[in-house]
Amino acid sequence: MNELNKHIERMMKPYREIQKITKPMREFQEKWNQHSEAIQNIIKPNLPIQKALDDSLKGFQKSFENIDKIYASLPEFQNPFLDNVESFREIGERLKEYIENTPEHFLLIAQHGWFIDFGSGLNLPSKVVHNIQEGKVDIANELLIDYYKTNINVIFDTLIKRHHNRREILENIKKSYKENNHTLIIPVILTQVDGICFDFTRKKFFIKEKENKKYKWLPEVITELEKSAGNFLNLYLSPLQNQTPIMVREKDLNKFPCKLNRHEILHGIRTDYGTEINSLKVISLLKYVSDLITDLDKKALNIVED
């Protein structure tokens, strides 16, 4: 029996040594668990506050979704805020530049017969304007032709989704465009510009204001749009607040580099309008008006129900 006890003692000796060595570690773990539990008890009442702050921050972040393309054009942020002050400053400068230049850019582009799709990249208007100002109007046209041809399916899918009552007409316009029936679709597109505007505002786009001196000979719907548009949309109204060739009176058309005019087309005065570039120009107008109208708060518009 003594031999057995000795044998057991020899076997247990290494285990007891390990226990001695690890005792400080086990004591430390015990204390750490106690501290951890105390910390959790302290912060537990603050969890609802933290959640509320998180929700607020998510809401704040969501409110800036319209400028996500600005962020995408800058270097990725991989460091804390203080390490990226320069990048944030660049964002601010680009946003300020965009806000200051957008009305002028949209108007200059419209005076050349084009209207900007709100879904295009923020750099597209500035590239187009740069080429126009450099006298490279052909390159400016090519940029916009390429954009609208590349995105033609997406544009019409969006229009059809927004304007269900015009599905058949819009589908036929897209089909006819792809079949190069430009002479036929251009007048139809111009009527749909009027129609889409009327659906939302009960005012036709090409009916001119004659009473208000400030907006005389401009689309009468502009007063309604200005009342309803917030600061963001006001950036894009300049083509409607000023004369552009598509809607100007015939006697004033010679003031513009583009001669594409709704009145001359619909009244049969001009017969050489049936080109692909002119089709894309009036498609750009249709998309611009749809973007503008559908981005407004419908409740703010004085809509008359049928």
Side-chain angles (χ1 to χ4, degrees):
M1 186 61 112
N2 287 337
E3 288 297 323
L4 179 60
N5 288 337
K6 288 179 183 179
H7 181 67
I8 291 172
E9 184 63 28
R10 282 197 301 270
M11 291 178 62
M12 293 296 293
K13 188 175 180 181
Y15 175 73
R16 290 194 180 98
E17 290 297 325
I18 290 172
Q19 279 190 316
K20 287 179 185 178
I21 294 169
T22 59
K23 184 178 179 182
M25 296 173 64
R26 283 184 283 110
E27 288 176 348
F28 175 78
Q29 182 67 42
E30 257 182 7
K31 289 179 180 177
W32 174 258
N33 290 339
Q34 290 171 2
H35 287 308
S36 178
E37 186 176 353
I39 291 170
Q40 286 180 354
N41 289 334
I42 290 169
I43 67 172
K44 189 174 182 181
N46 294 317
L47 292 178
I49 297 173
Q50 182 182 346
K51 185 178 184 302
L53 286 171
D54 287 344
D55 292 342
S56 297
L57 287 172
K58 286 176 184 175
F60 180 76
Q61 181 182 5
K62 190 176 180 181
S63 70
F64 279 88
E65 287 177 353
N66 283 323
I67 60 169
D68 59 344
K69 290 173 185 175
I70 296 177
Y71 289 95
S73 68
L74 299 174
E76 293 184 3
F77 301 139
Q78 298 177 350
N79 297 316
F81 174 81
L82 290 176
D83 292 335
N84 288 278
V85 171
E86 188 63 26
S87 294
F88 279 98
R89 186 187 64 78
E90 187 179 348
I91 291 171
E93 287 180 356
R94 287 199 183 187
L95 184 55
K96 181 183 177 186
E97 181 182 349
Y98 181 76
I99 291 170
E100 289 175 349
N101 293 336
T102 292
E104 180 185 344
H105 286 180
F106 271 51
L107 177 58
L108 181 60
I109 291 168
Q111 288 171 342
H112 284 75
W114 293 97
F115 294 80
I116 295 295
D117 176 5
F118 285 14
S120 66
L122 296 180
N123 289 331
L124 180 61
S126 60
K127 287 180 180 178
V128 172
V129 167
H130 173 74
N131 281 288
I132 291 173
Q133 291 173 337
E134 292 289 315
K136 302 174 183 176
V137 177
D138 288 345
I139 296 176
N141 282 331
E142 284 301 322
L143 286 170
L144 289 163
I145 289 169
D146 181 65
Y147 174 81
Y148 282 100
K149 286 180 70 172
T150 301
N151 293 280
I152 198 76
N153 288 328
V154 174
I155 287 169
F156 275 94
D157 287 347
T158 301
L159 291 171
I160 290 167
K161 185 177 179 181
R162 288 174 178 173
H163 311 289
H164 306 286
N165 59 324
R166 301 178 184 278
R167 171 184 288 273
E168 185 177 353
I169 299 171
L170 293 168
E171 286 177 344
N172 283 330
I173 290 172
K174 182 173 77 167
K175 181 174 180 292
S176 297
Y177 166 77
K178 293 184 175 182
E179 293 173 353
N180 295 316
N181 292 325
H182 304 300
T183 303
L184 296 180
I185 66 170
I186 288 173
V188 177
I189 294 170
L190 292 172
T191 65
Q192 295 312 295
V193 172
D194 258 345
I196 285 174
C197 189
F198 184 79
D199 286 344
F200 284 87
T201 68
R202 292 304 184 257
K203 294 179 186 291
K204 296 172 185 175
F205 183 79
F206 288 106
I207 297 297
K208 304 285 197 332
E209 175 63 58
K210 295 176 183 176
E211 301 288 330
N212 189 327
K213 289 184 179 180
K214 179 181 176 183
Y215 297 117
K216 197 167 184 180
W217 305 117
L218 295 173
E220 66 173 4
V221 72
I222 185 61
T223 55
E224 198 66 47
L225 296 179
E226 280 190 341
K227 283 191 295 185
S228 306
N231 291 333
F232 182 74
L233 278 180
N234 270 326
L235 291 174
Y236 306 113
L237 290 178
S238 59
L240 307 185
Q241 294 166 325
N242 297 274
Q243 298 285 3
T244 55
I246 192 67
M247 62 187 78
V248 79
R249 293 179 297 173
E250 289 174 59
K251 67 178 185 178
D252 295 323
L253 190 56
N254 60 358
K255 299 176 183 177
F256 299 94
C258 173
K259 307 305 177 188
L260 183 66
N261 179 262
R262 179 253 187 196
H263 187 270
E264 287 196 339
I265 292 170
L266 294 189
H267 290 274
I269 298 167
R270 198 172 189 93
T271 59
D272 60 351
Y273 62 86
T275 63
E276 183 178 30
I277 187 171
N278 283 343
S279 284
L280 292 172
K281 283 180 176 182
V282 294
I283 288 170
S284 77
L285 172 62
L286 182 66
K287 181 59 163 58
Y288 167 77
V289 171
S290 175
D291 286 343
L292 198 58
I293 293 292
T294 55
D295 275 7
L296 292 172
D297 181 0
K298 295 178 189 177
K299 292 181 181 178
L301 289 166
N302 296 327
I303 297 175
V304 179
E305 298 295 340
D306 293 327

